[in-house]
Amino acid sequence: MSKLAVVSSATVLGVEGRAVRVEVHVGQGLPAFTIVGLPDAACREARDRVRAAIATSGLSWPLQRITVNLAPSSLRKVGGGLDLAIAIGVLVADDKVGAAAVTGMGFVGELGLDGTVQPVAGTVPLVDALDADVVVVARDSAEEARLVDRHVVRPVSTLTELVKALKGEEPWPEHPRPASPPGPPPVPDLTDVRGQPVARHALELAAAGGHNLLFVGPPGAGKTMLAQRLPGILPPLTPEEALLTTRVHSAAGLIRPGFGLVAAPPFRAPHHSSSMVSLVGGGTATMRPGELSLAAGGVLFLDELGEFQPSALDALRQPIEEGCVRVSRARATITLPARFLLVAAMNPCPCGQGGPGECTCTDTARLRYRRRLSAPLLDRFDLRVDVARPDVDELLRGRGGEPSATVRERVLAARARAAARGVTSNARLPAERLETEAPLTPGALTMIETSLRQGRLSARGLARIRRVALTVADLAGLEGPLRAEEIGQALALRQDPMPLDRAVA
Amino acid sequence: MSPPSLPGAAWLTALAGLPKMGPARLLAISLVYEPAEAWQAVATGQVLRRPELVERMGPSPQVVAEGWQRAAARVDVEATWADHADISVAARGDAAYPAALVDDLEPPAVVFTRGAPVLDGTPRVAVVGTRRCTRYGFDVAGELGRELAAAGMQVVSGLALGIDGAAHQGALDAAAAPPVAVVGSGVDVVYPQRHRRLWEQIAAAGSILSECPLGTPPEAWRFPARNRIIAALADAVVVVESAGSGGSMYTVEEALARDRPVLAVPGSVQSRASAGTNKLLAEGAGVVRDANDVLAAMGLPQRPRRRARKDAAPRAGPAGAVLRALRAGPGTLDSLTSATGLALGPLSVAVAELEAAGWVSRHGLWLERTKPAR
């Protein structure tokens, strides 16, 4: 006499969920409990958790030969999210719960030994992968699960609760939604920044045009403080972007219980000791998204750019161009989102003083420091700005600067003009459309020609200059061809911050 | 043993290549022994019997002498001498030895010269300064080098980065009196590497001097010693830019010890690179505004002043404001915005125009005021 049950659940890979069919067979033979179908260590341990949870929930464990198959068997199953489905499968196969009660239902959750249902990382992609009308999740995952908005979400806190509901003995537990989900922590405001007009302006340009930004300045000049204020002037995420960002954060297990959608542009600031894998992602069996993906839709801030491993920095180049990371590992090849605004900060040289005649570094030290920043990476920064220590007078007595809200309005207006060109930001305007979208006045043309002839501008930099100049014009609300003023600004903000040599005349 | 037919300079060359053989020790040894004897004495450890040498051999003469003995055992004097065939090697007393060094306080026992010999009877001016100079110092050094060379001075400097290099380059550009470089490594060991071209140009047009045999690496202690030769060779020493302490200040001390006039180029009191020169001026050094000030200090006839060219630097409008703001020293876009009160748009246009015309030059994100090339 043997019985079979089939329950749906899911596992996560990268930022995508994959549906998993949990087949449980309870049949004749010596009592045993095996899980097959490529489970990882945490998944194989489900045996012990499920058995203990069923026992402590006051249900009997069938003393028969139990085989759990996780299909498709080619897909690696990771983590404890399948616990709940396995437990329900065992109960159905053992006739404790009717098979009809679980049809059209999906289960996502980890079990504690005491029968509690625990939330798991990646609830959003997991639930999204479920082809079911009703999904059962842990109580703390309910907000995340509801974001998918395709299913009836049934939050449960214990296995007992779930079994009683499935049997129809008790109604589904009502877990009131948190009255007001605690809002995101307030984003720091630009009004705190005193002086530093050029750096402020560069932030605004970066936000409006999606241009990557490099701050160069001595320690304590406020590079980090400035960068932290960038998310506050970025346009809000669109619903699709917000869902994507939430999905990434969910897959990385970064959504705190009770918090739902990640609606504000994220700000990620990985430490300079971060490995390439932690930045790019795909380091674990779940191919967990890295910092690049977590910053998608928001800002990736790399402080002390020169201190990052060269391999980690080189790995940034393809995502910056393509807006996604393709990670190939032994187990799988996945694509992770990575459309972020890159902001980096570094000292002008090891001693940090930088100015002509001020620096005390040896020549070799300067050279070595400069070489850490490869030319292809530097090229991807459209805006390179010197940040000096703010003037003491300004710091103590100066009035606060323009608040973020005002700046953000201008940014939104500029983005609207970019949208009218059919792109989300000017940085993504294809080079071939620059002639029509960003024509030049004769004065601007002369300036570009002089700069090209004097070697202060490269052909490669030309397209980038025009995009930045277009953003300058958009922010100022200017119409018509770009003037020398806009081109001049774009040029002034794109200088090599640390030329390798002071050439001998 | 090598045949005794080798010239004295050959033995001194071999001696100079021994470890821990500084100029003072080499000179002392060369004063006690004849060159061939000196090599013998060092190679056999007999130097320890001469108390006047032992007192110069540091806290542990025994160790130094043994080091010399060990190193000497591995040296083939004849082969070393053959290696130096392509350059001029002059021991003190040889005809090729620079006359200015013969009666010096600490004359080098042997001088290696690549290129032409240092001219006798031609006045020489040392133009020295910091390696980390500002654009201002760099330009002034180049101009002084050019004008002094054109006035018939041999410009002496150390071939270092910054001021030294600019002075040499200026002297080369004048294509008049040949420049003289005194280096702290062997004359075949280019240091710094970035001056490789300059090095070759000076070897071709003037002279490169050293008291170290070929192949000597640039060790830190050799540079102050090198500076005393610069001071000794020069009839006057001009410091263009220098921080309060550093190699140039050492050259100044050596010049004062030899009664050579010391002159300095004034700089902004806010510039760290001019702290040393301004201090020299405060202590009574001569002021150098141009080459004529140097000539006057040396009691030489001045060159006709070029008629003051009308300074065509823009004065009006944003460009004038930018130049005025940069007068105090280098600035960044940020500092210029607050100093001029201009918006970033007009400011960057002004900067771009000034840069294109050569009134402003860029060092990374810093802007400095310059004069357009003639």
Side-chain angles (χ1 to χ4, degrees):
Chain A
M1 135 99 182
S2 76
K3 283 159 291 183
L4 186 71
V6 179
V7 181
S8 24
S9 186
T11 189
V12 74
L13 192 68
V15 296
E16 299 294 331
R18 307 282 172 95
V20 173
R21 214 150 48 94
V22 179
E23 303 169 341
V24 183
H25 177 252
V26 175
Q28 306 267 295
L30 283 174
F33 187 19
T34 48
I35 298 182
V36 297
L38 222 57
D40 81 336
C43 193
R44 204 171 302 120
E45 287 158 4
R47 290 192 311 175
D48 303 313
R49 285 194 299 270
V50 167
R51 182 154 43 191
I54 288 185
T56 50
S57 300
L59 299 156
S60 64
W61 181 259
L63 286 174
Q64 281 174 291
R65 183 173 183 81
I66 304 171
T67 308
V68 175
N69 179 37
L70 307 174
S73 58
S74 61
L75 178 70
R76 188 161 189 91
K77 309 346 170 265
V78 187
L82 296 166
D83 286 6
L84 193 56
I86 294 173
I88 294 299
V90 170
L91 293 173
V92 170
D94 195 27
D95 278 338
K96 298 286 192 314
V97 174
V102 298
T103 39
M105 286 189 128
F107 298 86
V108 171
E110 183 176 321
L111 283 175
L113 297 186
D114 57 354
T116 51
V117 182
Q118 305 288 347
V120 289
T123 300
V124 176
L126 286 171
V127 169
D128 196 25
L130 285 176
D131 185 22
D133 303 321
V134 178
V135 289
V136 179
V137 297
R139 196 180 56 193
D140 283 342
S141 299
E143 287 305 309
E144 268 181 84
R146 287 197 179 100
L147 290 176
V148 180
D149 208 20
R150 257 192 308 127
H151 315 87
V152 176
V153 175
R154 298 285 190 207
V156 294
S157 48
T158 61
L159 185 59
T160 321
E161 219 175 65
L162 173 59
V163 171
K164 284 184 175 157
L166 285 174
K167 283 174 158 174
E169 291 170 5
E170 273 177 26
W172 284 97
E174 283 294 329
H175 292 290
R177 288 181 170 214
S180 58
V187 182
D189 198 286
L190 262 180
T191 192
D192 308 333
V193 178
R194 307 267 158 104
Q196 302 184 319
V198 177
R200 285 181 73 105
H201 188 63
L203 272 184
E204 195 174 329
L205 284 172
H211 307 291
N212 296 326
L213 171 59
L214 175 64
F215 283 131
V216 179
K223 303 185 290 282
T224 308
M225 178 182 176
L226 283 159
Q228 281 167 343
R229 276 145 185 83
L230 185 52
I233 57 171
L234 280 177
L237 298 178
T238 63
E240 298 83 54
E241 283 172 338
L243 194 61
L244 181 65
T245 306
T246 311
R247 177 190 284 270
V248 177
H249 282 244
S250 173
L254 289 181
I255 296 191
R256 279 180 293 155
F259 281 84
L261 202 64
V262 179
F267 180 83
R268 302 293 301 182
H271 187 253
H272 58 70
S273 64
S274 302
S275 67
M276 188 190 85
V277 166
S278 75
L279 289 177
V280 165
T284 60
T286 51
M287 310 280 273
R288 185 182 187 274
E291 292 290 340
L292 267 59
S293 303
L294 290 170
V299 176
L300 179 69
F301 176 54
L302 303 182
D303 201 359
E304 304 292 357
L305 187 67
E307 303 296 330
F308 278 84
Q309 295 169 18
S311 64
L313 292 183
D314 279 341
L316 285 173
R317 279 150 51 181
Q318 176 253 333
I320 292 174
E321 291 305 305
E322 300 180 15
C324 63
V325 197
R326 275 191 301 278
V327 186
S328 284
R329 299 281 183 259
R331 298 181 197 98
T333 299
I334 54 162
T335 304
L336 298 169
R339 204 172 276 297
F340 51 83
L341 189 53
L342 178 61
V343 181
M346 68 190 300
N347 296 330
C349 57
C351 81
Q353 301 313 313
E358 301 288 326
C359 168
T360 56
C361 303
T362 65
D363 233 64
T364 22
R366 281 178 77 100
L367 212 61
R368 210 178 304 128
Y369 193 72
R370 171 58 180 80
R371 288 222 175 105
R372 286 169 157 258
L373 187 59
S374 73
L377 181 65
L378 179 63
D379 193 60
R380 282 163 173 81
F381 288 100
D382 291 343
L383 302 167
R384 303 146 189 188
V385 183
D386 182 88
V387 183
R389 290 205 183 91
D391 194 54
V392 176
D393 283 339
E394 197 121 45
L395 201 60
L396 295 179
R397 285 174 280 278
R399 285 179 300 121
E402 225 179 347
S404 289
T406 323
V407 178
R408 191 172 177 197
E409 264 167 42
R410 284 197 300 271
V411 169
L412 288 177
R415 288 265 184 163
R417 290 175 60 156
R421 297 182 190 107
V423 288
T424 46
S425 64
N426 289 339
R428 287 184 221 160
L429 202 60
E432 58 272 16
R433 286 184 55 203
L434 285 173
E435 277 309 320
T436 48
E437 301 290 350
L440 302 168
T441 58
L445 204 58
T446 316
M447 179 176 273
I448 284 180
E449 196 185 328
T450 319
S451 302
L452 280 169
R453 284 194 197 286
Q454 293 187 341
R456 283 180 287 132
L457 177 64
S458 69
R460 193 160 51 158
L462 180 56
R464 289 171 175 270
I465 290 286
R466 281 176 87 164
R467 293 194 187 100
V468 175
L470 189 61
T471 307
V472 174
D474 284 353
L475 274 176
L478 299 168
E479 300 289 343
L482 298 174
R483 301 171 306 157
E485 260 98 299
E486 285 85 64
I487 293 289
Q489 275 190 58
L491 272 174
L493 294 175
R494 191 194 150 81
Q495 295 294 333
D496 187 339
M498 291 165 278
L500 273 177
D501 200 336
R502 151 161 265 161
V504 173
Chain B
M1 213 60 244
S2 313
S5 61
L6 287 173
W11 303 105
L12 291 174
T13 303
L15 282 170
L18 296 179
K20 303 198 171 175
M21 183 63 84
R25 288 175 186 170
L26 183 58
L27 180 66
I29 290 173
S30 76
L31 292 176
V32 171
Y33 302 104
E34 285 303 305
E37 274 173 43
W39 176 258
Q40 207 63 38
V42 167
T44 53
Q46 287 170 29
V47 280
L48 287 172
R49 299 202 196 133
R50 307 296 290 253
E52 69 269 43
L53 296 181
V54 170
E55 75 181 45
R56 290 199 168 272
M57 284 161 66
S60 40
Q62 191 74 37
V63 178
V64 174
E66 278 168 16
W68 285 348
Q69 235 176 309
R70 263 197 309 279
R74 289 193 297 271
V75 174
D76 179 348
V77 180
E78 219 167 340
T80 310
W81 182 239
D83 290 343
H84 286 73
D86 292 342
I87 61 167
S88 147
V89 185
R92 196 157 164 259
D94 290 356
Y97 191 88
L101 297 179
V102 174
D103 296 318
D104 191 57
L105 298 176
E106 304 165 65
V110 57
V111 171
F112 303 85
T113 313
R114 199 173 149 208
V118 176
L119 303 173
D120 283 335
T122 310
R124 282 181 292 267
V125 179
V127 179
V128 298
T130 175
R131 280 171 294 163
R132 262 176 295 285
C133 59
T134 67
R135 187 78 214 181
Y136 160 74
F138 191 83
D139 291 350
V140 170
E143 180 128 358
L144 279 177
R146 193 159 43 243
E147 305 238 308
L148 288 170
M153 310 275 121
Q154 282 201 288
V155 173
V156 184
S157 197
L159 249 178
L161 294 174
I163 300 293
D164 284 16
H168 279 309
Q169 188 66 55
L172 280 171
D173 291 347
V180 177
V182 185
V183 298
S185 54
V187 293
D188 59 335
V189 182
V190 177
Y191 178 85
Q193 278 293 326
R194 263 188 271 164
H195 275 170
R196 177 170 289 282
R197 238 187 74 215
L198 191 58
W199 193 285
E200 294 305 327
Q201 287 173 331
I202 293 177
S207 352
I208 302 183
L209 249 72
S210 174
E211 58 178 326
C212 320
L214 292 181
T216 308
E219 292 162 299
W221 64 267
R222 292 192 188 273
F223 288 88
R226 174 276 306 263
N227 289 354
R228 89 180 190 286
I229 302 183
I230 294 181
L233 277 177
D235 298 306
V237 173
V238 179
V239 188
V240 179
E241 258 188 339
S242 174
S245 63
S248 320
M249 288 301 155
Y250 193 84
T251 312
V252 167
E253 277 172 35
E254 296 289 340
L256 294 173
R258 288 167 174 77
D259 266 346
R260 305 283 197 271
V262 172
L263 303 104
V265 174
S268 160
V269 293
Q270 294 177 333
S271 165
R272 187 176 155 144
S274 286
T277 43
N278 287 339
K279 182 161 158 274
L280 287 175
L281 292 172
E283 289 166 359
V287 178
V288 175
R289 293 165 298 172
D290 58 11
N292 272 339
D293 285 336
V294 182
L295 295 173
M298 295 169 74
L300 294 168
Q302 302 192 12
R303 286 169 38 110
R305 271 186 203 274
R306 213 176 311 177
R307 199 183 314 148
R309 290 178 329 119
K310 204 175 148 206
D311 191 356
R315 292 170 194 287
V322 170
L323 284 186
R324 273 193 297 281
L326 286 177
R327 208 173 274 162
T332 61
L333 274 188
D334 220 61
S335 70
L336 286 176
T337 321
S338 30
T340 60
L342 291 168
L344 194 55
L347 175 67
S348 45
V349 173
V351 168
E353 283 168 4
L354 287 168
E355 208 181 344
W359 291 109
V360 158
S361 84
R362 192 174 269 291
H363 181 58
L365 298 173
W366 292 79
L367 296 160
E368 291 173 281
R369 202 181 155 149
T370 49
K371 280 192 177 167
R374 313 224 151 112

